[in-house]
């Protein structure tokens, strides 16, 4: 899609709002936003003052970028950046942030499959994004269920992926220090330190409830001992 940055207030350039996606492009909702995966990633990385976990806004190299095609990935992650500037610019401008994003991911749909594996791969490499991943719940649109590329000397080279059990494909992201999995058609991010999925709200609540119950048990035990 074609877009050009537009000037706004003294804050600098503000990118236009992306157009509505086609109906078949909303697969990203089913595998990222709906399950809360973007929020879980933000919680996992912490420090929201310098880390971006965002989606579906434009990325350009600089305000005077004259490329006709700009991209808006289904998932963008950047470390050591200014989230407020991202909001002011209504998107990611590498020259404003001092670096390109560290990671982008596209979720397959029938209408975007060819672009995901072709033009977007070229454009994300040109933007200097260290890693570009593709997730295809069907395994048919991209011809792979899970694929990743790592930038080496300005060109993308495939990241090794392998089966990690029946119905599971997996690859390691250096950019995120996480394993990315296609798990029976679902997108899962695995913490290598625990070999378990990153924590969800439910996990955190369960941990809090468990800790609270343990404190209650200790208090009851102390009261019993004092009463002896």
């Amino acid at each position: 899609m074609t877009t050009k940055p537009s000037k706004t207030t003294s804050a600098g350039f503000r990118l236009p709002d992306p157009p509505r996606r086609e109906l078949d492009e909303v697969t990203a909702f089913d595998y990222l936003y709906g399950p809360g995966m973007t929020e879980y990633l933000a919680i996992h990385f912490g420090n929201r003052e310098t880390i971006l976990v965002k989606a579906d806004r434009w990325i350009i190299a600089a305000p005077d970028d004259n490329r006709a095609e700009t991209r808006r990935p289904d998932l963008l992650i950047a470390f050591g950046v200014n989230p407020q500037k991202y909001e002011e610019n209504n998107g990611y401008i590498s020259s404003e942030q001092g670096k390109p994003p560290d990671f982008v991911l596209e979720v397959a749909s029938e209408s975007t499959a060819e672009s995901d594996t072709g033009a977007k791969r070229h454009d994300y490499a040109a933007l200097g994004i260290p890693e570009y991943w593709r997730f295809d719940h069907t395994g048919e649109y991209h011809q792979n269920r899970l694929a990743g590329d790592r930038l080496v000397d300005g060109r993308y080279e495939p990241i090794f992926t392998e089966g990690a059990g029946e119905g599971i494909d997996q690859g390691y992201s250096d950019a995120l220090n996480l394993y990315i999995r296609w798990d029976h058609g679902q997108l899962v991010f695995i913490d290598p330190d625990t070999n378990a999925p990153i924590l969800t709200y439910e996990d955190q609540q369960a941990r809090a409830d468990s800790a609270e119950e343990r404190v209650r048990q200790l208090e009851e035990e102390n009261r019993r001992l004092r009463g002896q």
Side-chain angles (χ1 to χ4, degrees), residues 32-43:
L32 278 172
Y33 323 135
M37 191 58 65
T38 50
E39 183 63 17
Y40 300 151
L41 284 163
I43 292 170

Side-chain angles (χ1 to χ4, degrees), residues 14-79:
R14 182 174 175 82
L15 292 161
D17 292 330
R20 293 176 62 89
R21 288 191 179 272
E22 299 297 328
L23 183 61
D24 84 316
E25 293 183 68
V26 298
T27 51
F29 179 86
D30 296 328
Y31 298 95
L32 278 172
Y33 323 135
M37 191 58 65
T38 50
E39 183 63 17
Y40 300 151
L41 284 163
I43 292 170
H44 174 79
F45 293 122
N47 197 356
R48 300 191 189 214
E49 293 182 0
T50 62
I51 297 173
L52 272 174
V53 181
K54 294 293 183 178
D56 204 26
R57 293 194 197 177
W58 303 112
I59 303 173
I60 63 173
D64 59 353
D65 191 349
N66 292 319
R67 289 183 306 112
E69 293 292 329
T70 55
R71 298 299 176 189
R72 50 187 179 116
D74 291 322
L75 176 64
L76 173 156
I77 298 176
F79 302 102

Side-chain angles (χ1 to χ4, degrees), residues 78-204:
F79 302 102
V81 294
N82 186 334
Q84 182 178 349
K85 189 171 289 294
Y86 175 89
E87 297 298 333
E88 292 172 353
N89 296 146
N90 197 33
Y92 196 100
I93 304 177
S94 295
S95 64
E96 297 282 306
Q97 297 288 357
K99 55 175 282 190
D102 295 277
F103 174 99
V104 294
L105 179 143
E106 297 283 4
V107 176
S109 67
E110 186 174 5
S111 66
T112 66
E114 183 176 353
S115 176
D116 289 345
T117 57
K120 288 181 185 177
R121 191 171 185 268
H122 174 272
D123 289 344
Y124 288 142
L127 284 164
I129 298 171
E131 285 189 8
Y132 170 39
W133 287 78
R134 296 169 297 285
F135 170 83
D136 182 353
H137 62 290
T138 68
E140 299 174 0
Y141 299 139
H142 290 165
Q143 307 306 314
N144 287 291
R145 301 190 297 194
L146 178 71
D149 288 304
R150 185 171 291 118
L151 198 64
V152 178
D153 296 329
R155 297 173 63 88
Y156 277 141
E157 294 185 358
I159 295 172
F160 175 72
T161 59
E162 61 182 342
E166 185 177 353
I168 298 175
D169 289 346
Q170 176 175 283
Y172 178 72
S173 166
D174 278 329
L176 305 185
N177 186 30
L178 293 173
Y179 286 105
I180 300 175
R181 279 186 183 174
W182 188 101
D183 189 339
H184 296 85
Q186 298 300 311
L187 177 61
V188 183
F189 292 85
I190 303 294
D191 186 339
D193 292 334
T194 62
N195 199 34
I198 59 175
L199 293 179
T200 66
Y201 283 133
E202 292 76 13
D203 296 329
Q204 292 187 335

